[in-house]
Structure formats: structure tokens, C-alpha cells
Amino acid sequence: MKIKENYVLRQVAQTWIVMPLAEENINLNGMLTLTESGAMLWQLLEQGCDLSALANALTREYDVSEAKALEDADKFTQKLMQLGCLDAD
């Protein structure tokens, strides 16, 4: 999985935001606000990490079970797919 081109992640003060850079990114109307863990997952997806790698990163960074990390990573990627930010290839 990989984040599609023309999206940018930026930290503004204490907030992580994703903004579309092109008009064809119409599924994301305005900007998307992410938590710290969401920003970490986004950055991994920019590198093309798979669901397993995302879950592993969550278990390393946070006190969370492998099953919960996998569930959370799956929910996050599904939401990004719905918004049109993620290529599943």
C-alpha cells in the first residue's frame, strides 16, 4: 500500500494535517487531521509499507497487543482508501 501522489502531511503547531495538492483529490474535501499514531502510519505508507509492517510499528511504539494493532492499522488504511488517499497495490 502506498499514499497516492499529491497529498502532503505537515505538522502545524501540535496538529498533524494532510492536505490535497491537486484538484483531482476531491474525496478529501479540505484537510484531514491525524493523531501522532496516524501521522506515523501515514509516513510508513508513504514508503509503501504493508498492513503487517504498520501493525508492527504500532506494537513497537505503543503498549498495544498485536491483534489490536492489526485491527487499528486496518481501520486506518480502510478510511484512507475511502477518502481516495491510498493505493492498495
Side-chain angles (χ1 to χ4, degrees):
M1 290 181 278
K2 191 159 183 155
I3 298 295
K4 290 182 179 179
E5 292 184 20
N6 296 321
Y7 289 96
V8 63
L9 173 68
R10 295 287 185 256
Q11 187 173 19
V12 178
Q14 300 298 318
T15 304
W16 287 96
I17 59 170
V18 173
M19 298 182 315
L21 297 178
E23 288 183 29
E24 67 264 12
N25 300 335
I26 59 173
N27 289 340
L28 183 59
N29 202 2
M31 64 181 161
L32 174 66
T33 303
L34 299 178
T35 62
E36 286 287 326
S37 58
M40 178 185 73
L41 295 178
W42 181 277
Q43 291 167 334
L44 291 170
L45 287 167
E46 287 178 325
Q47 300 169 27
C49 288
D50 64 9
L51 200 56
S52 176
L54 299 178
N56 287 335
L58 287 172
T59 59
R60 281 192 311 271
E61 188 69 25
Y62 302 99
D63 185 22
V64 62
S65 71
E66 201 172 312
K68 179 64 174 156
L70 191 57
E71 178 186 338
D72 289 349
D74 185 53
K75 284 181 184 178
F76 183 75
T77 56
Q78 290 299 321
K79 184 63 176 178
L80 292 181
M81 281 191 221
Q82 289 174 356
L83 293 171
C85 301
L86 190 62
D87 273 328
D89 300 334

